[in-house]
Amino acid sequence: MSKPGKARYRLSVVKASYAEAVGGELIEVETDDGKVYTFPHPLFTDDDTAREIDAADGDGARARILLGDQWAEFEKSGGDANGLMLVYVAARSEMQDTVSKHRPTKR
């Protein structure tokens, strides 16, 4: 039990609160043929993947990192790296706005 006046947050509750605020831990991208592909929401991207994305050279390399094994199918469905990166940028922008206004539940 926390002491009066002390802030204590339960990690699982905070994470769930932010996931709900940004729409989930995954971003879904639907191509024109109706197929859906996913990548981790920028807020929930693990450190190694984030470093890979930051170090990647160009949209093509970043998009391949984001989609991983889904990349070839995504391209076959008419998806392209620039389009995917526009979705990624939109998700990051929306996340920054949402996170700045969000107050997580402590318990």
Side-chain angles (χ1 to χ4, degrees), residues 24-39:
E25 293 185 37
L26 295 175
I27 299 292
E28 293 184 348
V29 179
E30 183 176 348
T31 51
D32 289 341
D33 63 1
K35 293 183 181 173
V36 177
Y37 302 88
T38 61
F39 61 86

Side-chain angles (χ1 to χ4, degrees), residues 4-86:
K6 291 273 187 175
R8 179 180 288 183
Y9 294 88
R10 179 164 288 158
L11 292 177
S12 61
V13 174
V14 172
K15 184 176 180 181
S17 175
Y18 276 102
E20 184 177 334
V22 298
E25 293 185 37
L26 295 175
I27 299 292
E28 293 184 348
V29 179
E30 183 176 348
T31 51
D32 289 341
D33 63 1
K35 293 183 181 173
V36 177
Y37 302 88
T38 61
F39 61 86
H41 190 286
L43 188 60
F44 297 102
T45 301
D46 65 78
D47 290 344
D48 290 339
T49 302
R51 279 191 286 275
E52 282 184 60
I53 292 167
D54 290 343
D57 188 26
D59 286 350
R62 289 183 189 96
R64 284 175 181 79
I65 292 165
L66 282 172
L67 288 184
D69 294 341
Q70 303 172 88
W71 176 251
E73 286 300 315
F74 179 73
E75 274 192 311
K76 287 179 189 174
S77 291
D80 61 81
N82 183 256
L84 186 68
M85 293 314 299
L86 288 173

Side-chain angles (χ1 to χ4, degrees), residues 80-102:
D80 61 81
N82 183 256
L84 186 68
M85 293 314 299
L86 288 173
V87 171
Y88 182 75
V89 168
R92 285 183 66 128
S93 177
E94 183 178 309
M95 171 195 71
Q96 290 170 343
D97 186 47
T98 300
V99 168
S100 70
K101 296 174 185 172
H102 182 66

